[in-house]
PDB file of all heavy atoms in Angstrom:
ATOM      1  N   ASN A   1       0.831  -1.207   0.000  1.00 97.00           N
ATOM      2  CA  ASN A   1       0.000   0.000   0.000  1.00 97.00           C
ATOM      3  C   ASN A   1       0.865   1.256   0.000  1.00 97.00           C
ATOM      4  O   ASN A   1       0.592   2.221  -0.736  1.00 97.00           O
ATOM      5  CB  ASN A   1      -0.920   0.008   1.230  1.00 97.00           C
ATOM      6  CG  ASN A   1      -2.033  -1.008   1.122  1.00 97.00           C
ATOM      7  OD1 ASN A   1      -2.595  -1.224   0.057  1.00 97.00           O
ATOM      8  ND2 ASN A   1      -2.373  -1.634   2.234  1.00 97.00           N
ATOM      9  N   TYR A   2       1.904   1.256   0.814  1.00 98.00           N
ATOM     10  CA  TYR A   2       2.774   2.433   0.878  1.00 98.00           C
ATOM     11  C   TYR A   2       3.607   2.593  -0.393  1.00 98.00           C
ATOM     12  O   TYR A   2       3.915   3.718  -0.809  1.00 98.00           O
ATOM     13  CB  TYR A   2       3.656   2.377   2.129  1.00 98.00           C
ATOM     14  CG  TYR A   2       2.882   2.773   3.363  1.00 98.00           C
ATOM     15  CD1 TYR A   2       2.392   1.805   4.238  1.00 98.00           C
ATOM     16  CD2 TYR A   2       2.598   4.109   3.636  1.00 98.00           C
ATOM     17  CE1 TYR A   2       1.648   2.158   5.362  1.00 98.00           C
ATOM     18  CE2 TYR A   2       1.856   4.467   4.755  1.00 98.00           C
ATOM     19  CZ  TYR A   2       1.389   3.492   5.611  1.00 98.00           C
ATOM     20  OH  TYR A   2       0.640   3.846   6.714  1.00 98.00           O
ATOM     21  N   ARG A   3       3.958   1.496  -1.003  1.00 98.00           N
ATOM     22  CA  ARG A   3       4.669   1.574  -2.277  1.00 98.00           C
ATOM     23  C   ARG A   3       3.772   2.239  -3.332  1.00 98.00           C
ATOM     24  O   ARG A   3       4.217   3.132  -4.072  1.00 98.00           O
ATOM     25  CB  ARG A   3       5.078   0.168  -2.721  1.00 98.00           C
ATOM     26  CG  ARG A   3       5.619   0.089  -4.143  1.00 98.00           C
ATOM     27  CD  ARG A   3       6.981   0.756  -4.316  1.00 98.00           C
ATOM     28  NE  ARG A   3       7.365   0.771  -5.723  1.00 98.00           N
ATOM     29  CZ  ARG A   3       7.899  -0.268  -6.372  1.00 98.00           C
ATOM     30  NH1 ARG A   3       8.106  -1.416  -5.729  1.00 98.00           N
ATOM     31  NH2 ARG A   3       8.227  -0.158  -7.633  1.00 98.00           N
ATOM     32  N   LEU A   4       2.519   1.838  -3.386  1.00 98.00           N
ATOM     33  CA  LEU A   4       1.592   2.444  -4.344  1.00 98.00           C
ATOM     34  C   LEU A   4       1.381   3.927  -4.054  1.00 98.00           C
ATOM     35  O   LEU A   4       1.330   4.750  -4.975  1.00 98.00           O
ATOM     36  CB  LEU A   4       0.251   1.702  -4.319  1.00 98.00           C
ATOM     37  CG  LEU A   4       0.234   0.343  -5.013  1.00 98.00           C
ATOM     38  CD1 LEU A   4      -1.031  -0.427  -4.630  1.00 98.00           C
ATOM     39  CD2 LEU A   4       0.306   0.511  -6.534  1.00 98.00           C
ATOM     40  N   LEU A   5       1.253   4.258  -2.792  1.00 98.00           N
ATOM     41  CA  LEU A   5       1.080   5.659  -2.422  1.00 98.00           C
ATOM     42  C   LEU A   5       2.285   6.482  -2.871  1.00 98.00           C
ATOM     43  O   LEU A   5       2.141   7.583  -3.419  1.00 98.00           O
ATOM     44  CB  LEU A   5       0.878   5.773  -0.908  1.00 98.00           C
ATOM     45  CG  LEU A   5       0.555   7.160  -0.347  1.00 98.00           C
ATOM     46  CD1 LEU A   5      -0.743   7.697  -0.933  1.00 98.00           C
ATOM     47  CD2 LEU A   5       0.465   7.091   1.176  1.00 98.00           C
ATOM     48  N   SER A   6       3.465   5.945  -2.667  1.00 97.00           N
ATOM     49  CA  SER A   6       4.688   6.634  -3.079  1.00 97.00           C
ATOM     50  C   SER A   6       4.791   6.762  -4.593  1.00 97.00           C
ATOM     51  O   SER A   6       5.327   7.752  -5.112  1.00 97.00           O
ATOM     52  CB  SER A   6       5.913   5.878  -2.549  1.00 97.00           C
ATOM     53  OG  SER A   6       7.115   6.487  -2.959  1.00 97.00           O
ATOM     54  N   ASP A   7       4.239   5.778  -5.309  1.00 97.00           N
ATOM     55  CA  ASP A   7       4.367   5.734  -6.766  1.00 97.00           C
ATOM     56  C   ASP A   7       3.193   6.360  -7.513  1.00 97.00           C
ATOM     57  O   ASP A   7       3.047   6.163  -8.727  1.00 97.00           O
ATOM     58  CB  ASP A   7       4.519   4.273  -7.223  1.00 97.00           C
ATOM     59  CG  ASP A   7       5.882   3.696  -6.887  1.00 97.00           C
ATOM     60  OD1 ASP A   7       6.789   4.469  -6.546  1.00 97.00           O
ATOM     61  OD2 ASP A   7       6.028   2.456  -6.943  1.00 97.00           O
ATOM     62  N   LEU A   8       2.366   7.140  -6.837  1.00 97.00           N
ATOM     63  CA  LEU A   8       1.230   7.768  -7.519  1.00 97.00           C
ATOM     64  C   LEU A   8       1.640   8.605  -8.734  1.00 97.00           C
ATOM     65  O   LEU A   8       0.935   8.580  -9.759  1.00 97.00           O
ATOM     66  CB  LEU A   8       0.433   8.635  -6.545  1.00 97.00           C
ATOM     67  CG  LEU A   8      -0.467   7.915  -5.540  1.00 97.00           C
ATOM     68  CD1 LEU A   8      -1.327   8.929  -4.796  1.00 97.00           C
ATOM     69  CD2 LEU A   8      -1.335   6.869  -6.206  1.00 97.00           C
ATOM     70  N   PRO A   9       2.749   9.348  -8.684  1.00 97.00           N
ATOM     71  CA  PRO A   9       3.130  10.095  -9.891  1.00 97.00           C
ATOM     72  C   PRO A   9       3.336   9.197 -11.110  1.00 97.00           C
ATOM     73  O   PRO A   9       2.981   9.570 -12.236  1.00 97.00           O
ATOM     74  CB  PRO A   9       4.433  10.796  -9.473  1.00 97.00           C
ATOM     75  CG  PRO A   9       4.299  10.963  -7.997  1.00 97.00           C
ATOM     76  CD  PRO A   9       3.612   9.694  -7.535  1.00 97.00           C
ATOM     77  N   TYR A  10       3.898   8.010 -10.888  1.00 97.00           N
ATOM     78  CA  TYR A  10       4.078   7.065 -11.999  1.00 97.00           C
ATOM     79  C   TYR A  10       2.718   6.652 -12.564  1.00 97.00           C
ATOM     80  O   TYR A  10       2.525   6.623 -13.791  1.00 97.00           O
ATOM     81  CB  TYR A  10       4.839   5.830 -11.525  1.00 97.00           C
ATOM     82  CG  TYR A  10       4.792   4.680 -12.504  1.00 97.00           C
ATOM     83  CD1 TYR A  10       5.627   4.642 -13.610  1.00 97.00           C
ATOM     84  CD2 TYR A  10       3.877   3.636 -12.328  1.00 97.00           C
ATOM     85  CE1 TYR A  10       5.566   3.594 -14.528  1.00 97.00           C
ATOM     86  CE2 TYR A  10       3.808   2.591 -13.228  1.00 97.00           C
ATOM     87  CZ  TYR A  10       4.648   2.570 -14.339  1.00 97.00           C
ATOM     88  OH  TYR A  10       4.572   1.538 -15.235  1.00 97.00           O
ATOM     89  N   LEU A  11       1.770   6.320 -11.688  1.00 97.00           N
ATOM     90  CA  LEU A  11       0.449   5.888 -12.143  1.00 97.00           C
ATOM     91  C   LEU A  11      -0.294   7.021 -12.845  1.00 97.00           C
ATOM     92  O   LEU A  11      -0.988   6.797 -13.845  1.00 97.00           O
ATOM     93  CB  LEU A  11      -0.371   5.372 -10.956  1.00 97.00           C
ATOM     94  CG  LEU A  11       0.137   4.074 -10.318  1.00 97.00           C
ATOM     95  CD1 LEU A  11      -0.680   3.739  -9.075  1.00 97.00           C
ATOM     96  CD2 LEU A  11       0.103   2.918 -11.315  1.00 97.00           C
ATOM     97  N   THR A  12      -0.140   8.236 -12.340  1.00 96.00           N
ATOM     98  CA  THR A  12      -0.770   9.389 -12.985  1.00 96.00           C
ATOM     99  C   THR A  12      -0.246   9.573 -14.400  1.00 96.00           C
ATOM    100  O   THR A  12      -1.019   9.804 -15.345  1.00 96.00           O
ATOM    101  CB  THR A  12      -0.510  10.667 -12.164  1.00 96.00           C
ATOM    102  OG1 THR A  12      -1.025  10.497 -10.846  1.00 96.00           O
ATOM    103  CG2 THR A  12      -1.182  11.873 -12.801  1.00 96.00           C
ATOM    104  N   GLU A  13       1.059   9.463 -14.559  1.00 96.00           N
ATOM    105  CA  GLU A  13       1.673   9.633 -15.876  1.00 96.00           C
ATOM    106  C   GLU A  13       1.295   8.490 -16.814  1.00 96.00           C
ATOM    107  O   GLU A  13       1.024   8.705 -18.008  1.00 96.00           O
ATOM    108  CB  GLU A  13       3.196   9.711 -15.729  1.00 96.00           C
ATOM    109  CG  GLU A  13       3.943   9.936 -17.034  1.00 96.00           C
ATOM    110  CD  GLU A  13       3.677  11.300 -17.638  1.00 96.00           C
ATOM    111  OE1 GLU A  13       3.268  12.215 -16.897  1.00 96.00           O
ATOM    112  OE2 GLU A  13       3.882  11.449 -18.859  1.00 96.00           O
ATOM    113  N   LEU A  14       1.256   7.272 -16.292  1.00 97.00           N
ATOM    114  CA  LEU A  14       0.930   6.105 -17.109  1.00 97.00           C
ATOM    115  C   LEU A  14      -0.526   6.113 -17.559  1.00 97.00           C
ATOM    116  O   LEU A  14      -0.830   5.871 -18.739  1.00 97.00           O
ATOM    117  CB  LEU A  14       1.209   4.823 -16.321  1.00 97.00           C
ATOM    118  CG  LEU A  14       0.777   3.508 -16.983  1.00 97.00           C
ATOM    119  CD1 LEU A  14       1.672   3.200 -18.182  1.00 97.00           C
ATOM    120  CD2 LEU A  14       0.820   2.359 -15.972  1.00 97.00           C
ATOM    121  N   LEU A  15      -1.436   6.368 -16.642  1.00 97.00           N
ATOM    122  CA  LEU A  15      -2.863   6.181 -16.892  1.00 97.00           C
ATOM    123  C   LEU A  15      -3.553   7.439 -17.401  1.00 97.00           C
ATOM    124  O   LEU A  15      -4.589   7.343 -18.066  1.00 97.00           O
ATOM    125  CB  LEU A  15      -3.546   5.686 -15.606  1.00 97.00           C
ATOM    126  CG  LEU A  15      -2.961   4.387 -15.041  1.00 97.00           C
ATOM    127  CD1 LEU A  15      -3.569   4.076 -13.676  1.00 97.00           C
ATOM    128  CD2 LEU A  15      -3.179   3.220 -16.002  1.00 97.00           C
ATOM    129  N   ARG A  16      -3.035   8.597 -17.049  1.00 96.00           N
ATOM    130  CA  ARG A  16      -3.579   9.878 -17.512  1.00 96.00           C
ATOM    131  C   ARG A  16      -5.076  10.005 -17.229  1.00 96.00           C
ATOM    132  O   ARG A  16      -5.862  10.397 -18.092  1.00 96.00           O
ATOM    133  CB  ARG A  16      -3.255  10.101 -18.995  1.00 96.00           C
ATOM    134  CG  ARG A  16      -1.757  10.146 -19.256  1.00 96.00           C
ATOM    135  CD  ARG A  16      -1.419  10.586 -20.661  1.00 96.00           C
ATOM    136  NE  ARG A  16       0.024  10.669 -20.841  1.00 96.00           N
ATOM    137  CZ  ARG A  16       0.783  11.700 -20.492  1.00 96.00           C
ATOM    138  NH1 ARG A  16       0.215  12.763 -19.921  1.00 96.00           N
ATOM    139  NH2 ARG A  16       2.084  11.689 -20.679  1.00 96.00           N
ATOM    140  N   ARG A  17      -5.416   9.655 -16.033  1.00 97.00           N
ATOM    141  CA  ARG A  17      -6.788   9.793 -15.539  1.00 97.00           C
ATOM    142  C   ARG A  17      -6.737  10.354 -14.116  1.00 97.00           C
ATOM    143  O   ARG A  17      -5.727  10.201 -13.421  1.00 97.00           O
ATOM    144  CB  ARG A  17      -7.501   8.434 -15.495  1.00 97.00           C
ATOM    145  CG  ARG A  17      -7.717   7.746 -16.821  1.00 97.00           C
ATOM    146  CD  ARG A  17      -8.728   8.490 -17.692  1.00 97.00           C
ATOM    147  NE  ARG A  17      -9.108   7.710 -18.858  1.00 97.00           N
ATOM    148  CZ  ARG A  17      -8.376   7.542 -19.949  1.00 97.00           C
ATOM    149  NH1 ARG A  17      -7.177   8.106 -20.016  1.00 97.00           N
ATOM    150  NH2 ARG A  17      -8.800   6.816 -20.956  1.00 97.00           N
ATOM    151  N   PRO A  18      -7.816  10.981 -13.660  1.00 98.00           N
ATOM    152  CA  PRO A  18      -7.863  11.374 -12.245  1.00 98.00           C
ATOM    153  C   PRO A  18      -7.699  10.139 -11.364  1.00 98.00           C
ATOM    154  O   PRO A  18      -8.254   9.078 -11.659  1.00 98.00           O
ATOM    155  CB  PRO A  18      -9.265  11.978 -12.096  1.00 98.00           C
ATOM    156  CG  PRO A  18      -9.710  12.311 -13.478  1.00 98.00           C
ATOM    157  CD  PRO A  18      -9.064  11.322 -14.388  1.00 98.00           C
ATOM    158  N   ILE A  19      -6.929  10.276 -10.295  1.00 98.00           N
ATOM    159  CA  ILE A  19      -6.692   9.155  -9.393  1.00 98.00           C
ATOM    160  C   ILE A  19      -7.408   9.395  -8.069  1.00 98.00           C
ATOM    161  O   ILE A  19      -7.252  10.448  -7.439  1.00 98.00           O
ATOM    162  CB  ILE A  19      -5.190   8.932  -9.156  1.00 98.00           C
ATOM    163  CG1 ILE A  19      -4.547   8.414 -10.446  1.00 98.00           C
ATOM    164  CG2 ILE A  19      -4.956   7.947  -8.014  1.00 98.00           C
ATOM    165  CD1 ILE A  19      -3.109   7.982 -10.303  1.00 98.00           C
ATOM    166  N   LEU A  20      -8.195   8.421  -7.681  1.00 98.00           N
ATOM    167  CA  LEU A  20      -8.893   8.435  -6.396  1.00 98.00           C
ATOM    168  C   LEU A  20      -8.073   7.641  -5.384  1.00 98.00           C
ATOM    169  O   LEU A  20      -7.590   6.554  -5.691  1.00 98.00           O
ATOM    170  CB  LEU A  20     -10.284   7.826  -6.544  1.00 98.00           C
ATOM    171  CG  LEU A  20     -11.192   7.788  -5.307  1.00 98.00           C
ATOM    172  CD1 LEU A  20     -12.662   7.834  -5.730  1.00 98.00           C
ATOM    173  CD2 LEU A  20     -10.954   6.551  -4.445  1.00 98.00           C
ATOM    174  N   ILE A  21      -7.932   8.197  -4.193  1.00 98.00           N
ATOM    175  CA  ILE A  21      -7.238   7.504  -3.120  1.00 98.00           C
ATOM    176  C   ILE A  21      -8.203   7.327  -1.945  1.00 98.00           C
ATOM    177  O   ILE A  21      -8.775   8.301  -1.450  1.00 98.00           O
ATOM    178  CB  ILE A  21      -5.982   8.275  -2.667  1.00 98.00           C
ATOM    179  CG1 ILE A  21      -4.918   8.224  -3.755  1.00 98.00           C
ATOM    180  CG2 ILE A  21      -5.437   7.704  -1.358  1.00 98.00           C
ATOM    181  CD1 ILE A  21      -4.406   6.827  -4.074  1.00 98.00           C
ATOM    182  N   GLY A  22      -8.365   6.078  -1.530  1.00 98.00           N
ATOM    183  CA  GLY A  22      -9.210   5.759  -0.384  1.00 98.00           C
ATOM    184  C   GLY A  22      -8.391   5.013   0.662  1.00 98.00           C
ATOM    185  O   GLY A  22      -8.190   3.804   0.544  1.00 98.00           O
ATOM    186  N   LEU A  23      -7.902   5.749   1.645  1.00 97.00           N
ATOM    187  CA  LEU A  23      -7.108   5.119   2.708  1.00 97.00           C
ATOM    188  C   LEU A  23      -7.634   5.453   4.099  1.00 97.00           C
ATOM    189  O   LEU A  23      -7.041   5.081   5.108  1.00 97.00           O
ATOM    190  CB  LEU A  23      -5.628   5.527   2.574  1.00 97.00           C
ATOM    191  CG  LEU A  23      -5.292   7.019   2.437  1.00 97.00           C
ATOM    192  CD1 LEU A  23      -5.458   7.798   3.717  1.00 97.00           C
ATOM    193  CD2 LEU A  23      -3.876   7.182   1.902  1.00 97.00           C
ATOM    194  N   SER A  24      -8.786   6.116   4.133  1.00 97.00           N
ATOM    195  CA  SER A  24      -9.325   6.622   5.394  1.00 97.00           C
ATOM    196  C   SER A  24      -9.473   5.527   6.441  1.00 97.00           C
ATOM    197  O   SER A  24     -10.221   4.561   6.245  1.00 97.00           O
ATOM    198  CB  SER A  24     -10.690   7.277   5.134  1.00 97.00           C
ATOM    199  OG  SER A  24     -11.249   7.777   6.323  1.00 97.00           O
ATOM    200  N   ARG A  25      -8.711   5.654   7.535  1.00 95.00           N
ATOM    201  CA  ARG A  25      -8.802   4.801   8.713  1.00 95.00           C
ATOM    202  C   ARG A  25      -8.528   3.318   8.422  1.00 95.00           C
ATOM    203  O   ARG A  25      -8.939   2.441   9.181  1.00 95.00           O
ATOM    204  CB  ARG A  25     -10.173   4.970   9.403  1.00 95.00           C
ATOM    205  CG  ARG A  25     -10.428   6.393   9.900  1.00 95.00           C
ATOM    206  CD  ARG A  25     -11.776   6.506  10.579  1.00 95.00           C
ATOM    207  NE  ARG A  25     -12.079   7.853  11.022  1.00 95.00           N
ATOM    208  CZ  ARG A  25     -11.823   8.331  12.243  1.00 95.00           C
ATOM    209  NH1 ARG A  25     -11.232   7.573  13.132  1.00 95.00           N
ATOM    210  NH2 ARG A  25     -12.168   9.575  12.568  1.00 95.00           N
ATOM    211  N   LYS A  26      -7.839   3.023   7.320  1.00 95.00           N
ATOM    212  CA  LYS A  26      -7.605   1.640   6.921  1.00 95.00           C
ATOM    213  C   LYS A  26      -6.459   1.003   7.707  1.00 95.00           C
ATOM    214  O   LYS A  26      -5.684   1.675   8.388  1.00 95.00           O
ATOM    215  CB  LYS A  26      -7.334   1.556   5.417  1.00 95.00           C
ATOM    216  CG  LYS A  26      -8.585   1.718   4.568  1.00 95.00           C
ATOM    217  CD  LYS A  26      -8.291   1.501   3.095  1.00 95.00           C
ATOM    218  CE  LYS A  26      -9.582   1.545   2.272  1.00 95.00           C
ATOM    219  NZ  LYS A  26      -9.314   1.372   0.821  1.00 95.00           N
ATOM    220  N   SER A  27      -6.322  -0.319   7.519  1.00 94.00           N
ATOM    221  CA  SER A  27      -5.322  -1.072   8.279  1.00 94.00           C
ATOM    222  C   SER A  27      -3.899  -0.686   7.913  1.00 94.00           C
ATOM    223  O   SER A  27      -2.976  -0.916   8.700  1.00 94.00           O
ATOM    224  CB  SER A  27      -5.521  -2.579   8.077  1.00 94.00           C
ATOM    225  OG  SER A  27      -5.362  -2.938   6.714  1.00 94.00           O
ATOM    226  N   MET A  28      -3.670  -0.114   6.737  1.00 96.00           N
ATOM    227  CA  MET A  28      -2.322   0.355   6.409  1.00 96.00           C
ATOM    228  C   MET A  28      -1.883   1.462   7.366  1.00 96.00           C
ATOM    229  O   MET A  28      -0.686   1.734   7.493  1.00 96.00           O
ATOM    230  CB  MET A  28      -2.248   0.838   4.960  1.00 96.00           C
ATOM    231  CG  MET A  28      -3.098   2.059   4.650  1.00 96.00           C
ATOM    232  SD  MET A  28      -2.917   2.639   2.922  1.00 96.00           S
ATOM    233  CE  MET A  28      -1.317   3.471   2.992  1.00 96.00           C
ATOM    234  N   LEU A  29      -2.847   2.084   8.030  1.00 98.00           N
ATOM    235  CA  LEU A  29      -2.564   3.098   9.043  1.00 98.00           C
ATOM    236  C   LEU A  29      -2.608   2.518  10.453  1.00 98.00           C
ATOM    237  O   LEU A  29      -1.754   2.830  11.285  1.00 98.00           O
ATOM    238  CB  LEU A  29      -3.570   4.241   8.934  1.00 98.00           C
ATOM    239  CG  LEU A  29      -3.741   4.881   7.553  1.00 98.00           C
ATOM    240  CD1 LEU A  29      -4.841   5.925   7.592  1.00 98.00           C
ATOM    241  CD2 LEU A  29      -2.440   5.493   7.075  1.00 98.00           C
ATOM    242  N   THR A  30      -3.592   1.674  10.703  1.00 97.00           N
ATOM    243  CA  THR A  30      -3.775   1.188  12.075  1.00 97.00           C
ATOM    244  C   THR A  30      -2.749   0.141  12.485  1.00 97.00           C
ATOM    245  O   THR A  30      -2.330   0.103  13.648  1.00 97.00           O
ATOM    246  CB  THR A  30      -5.191   0.610  12.258  1.00 97.00           C
ATOM    247  OG1 THR A  30      -5.383  -0.496  11.353  1.00 97.00           O
ATOM    248  CG2 THR A  30      -6.254   1.670  11.980  1.00 97.00           C
TER     249      THR A  30
END
């Protein structure tokens, strides 16, 4: 999960679409 969060610029450039992030209160935090 943290790798993907760090790599959002790569995904933005690759996919060229708005990116939604849903991490609110999830286990990657808890």
Side-chain angles (χ1 to χ4, degrees):
N1 288 322
Y2 282 101
R3 170 69 186 279
L4 285 166
L5 185 61
S6 178
D7 287 346
L8 285 188
Y10 167 80
L11 293 175
T12 301
E13 182 67 22
L14 174 70
L15 303 172
R16 299 189 178 277
R17 296 292 190 283
I19 291 188
L20 182 152
I21 290 297
L23 51 73
S24 180
R25 299 181 182 267
K26 285 185 175 178
S27 61
M28 65 178 284
L29 308 176
T30 61

